[in-house]
Amino acid sequence: MNNVTVPASARHLAPVLCAATLLLGGCGGGGGGGGNDNPVPLNDPNALMQALADKVDAGALMIEIENGVPPANAGEEGPKVTEGISESTAVPGDMVAVPVRIDGGPDLSNLYAKITGATNFYFNVPVGGDGGGKSGEKPWISVRKQEFGFIALTTLDFRAELPENLDLATGNEICFDLSVEGSDGSISTVANPCISIGAQRPAVIDDQPPGAEMPERLDGTWLSSCLDIVDFAAGEATIRAARLGLIFTAEGTTYTEAAYTYTADDCSAGEAITPQVSGTYVIGGEIDSNQNSLRTRAIDFEPTVDPQTNTPVPCFNRLRIADEDGDDNYELLFLGVPRTSYPGQANALPDDCRAENTRPGYVLTSLPFSKQ
């Protein structure tokens, strides 16, 4: 095990994890690993953790560095964590998003994050309430909990600033161990998202149909992959099979979001549909999703709720459709979940769904929707 010293400036670790709205400023450190110009080997997890900690701006927000390894799931039925992006790419010095998806379960209290294989320390990130930040601000993390009936879908997105002096001769990826603790003390299983590291990013392929064609392409019903939702509504953990549904109509560009529940564990039988939110949508311009190396589009969902009531609504604001077999029929749909733009707001308000600064830098490739 390497001897790694946690710098005094890293006791309160915020700008290692910075939000998309602060990419141009606010992150401490610069250059390589906190003043150390020695290349950081990609095959040394403890050295990578040290390099992340060295880039911390002292005295910012209350994120703790803890010695050792995070608490582990002991077999309890806790939150279920899934990586948010199945393929991710970056270059040294990038600010990368490392999103995870939590399907159901209790409210969250903490995120635990470390480089896979690191044993020197880990990041303990408060995610409940105001996150422990000064004046309640959380510029380094976004937690968006959206409820489709009993289906609670939480997207937790934090930003990690990669050292500029990564030694690309020693490896080609960085992997994270991410887990969460529920408000009831239960610990999740561990998600293990990896980011491919290279000298340059892959080219983004222009594979999206023209915007004028999108309403016809979207027209119909799209269902997510089958989800195992931990439902705590009855006071105890119950696993329920479910899908999220999006129903688009080209005429009038309307949509309905719905919860689909099933009696079979694999979502093959016992379908019941509960509409949740309806409204209209507007297709926006194309956006490159560099971290996915994918071409996407902005989409603005406009739910039919009174904005004066501040009614929380589930929504998405980035979209991609994919033609898997080359027959010009787009069979898969991927969505981006709005990042929180202000503290303490777990769900999106109507205007928040359409705010440019809440569009994420990726789509959730781990949650595909299939056209029915």
Side-chain angles (χ1 to χ4, degrees), residues 4 6 49-50 53 65-68 114 118-123:
V4 181
V6 180
M49 286 293 292
Q50 182 71 71
I65 293 181
E66 307 282 358
N67 292 325
K114 71 180 185 71
T119 56
N120 49 355
F121 52 84
Y122 63 93
F123 304 145

Side-chain angles (χ1 to χ4, degrees), residues 133-149:
K134 290 182 177 179
S135 302
E137 295 179 356
K138 294 194 291 187
W140 32 262
I141 194 166
S142 166
V143 183
R144 175 80 73 189
K145 183 176 182 180
Q146 306 197 85
E147 296 179 346
F148 304 79

Side-chain angles (χ1 to χ4, degrees), residues 48 125 147-148 184 251 261:
L48 283 170
V125 188
E147 296 179 346
F148 304 79
D184 61 352
E251 184 177 355
T261 56

Side-chain angles (χ1 to χ4, degrees), residues 260-285:
Y260 289 68
T261 56
Y262 301 85
T263 56
D265 292 343
D266 61 355
C267 296
S268 62
E271 180 179 276
I273 306 171
T274 307
Q276 297 298 321
V277 177
S278 296
T280 59
Y281 67 91
V282 177
I283 297 294

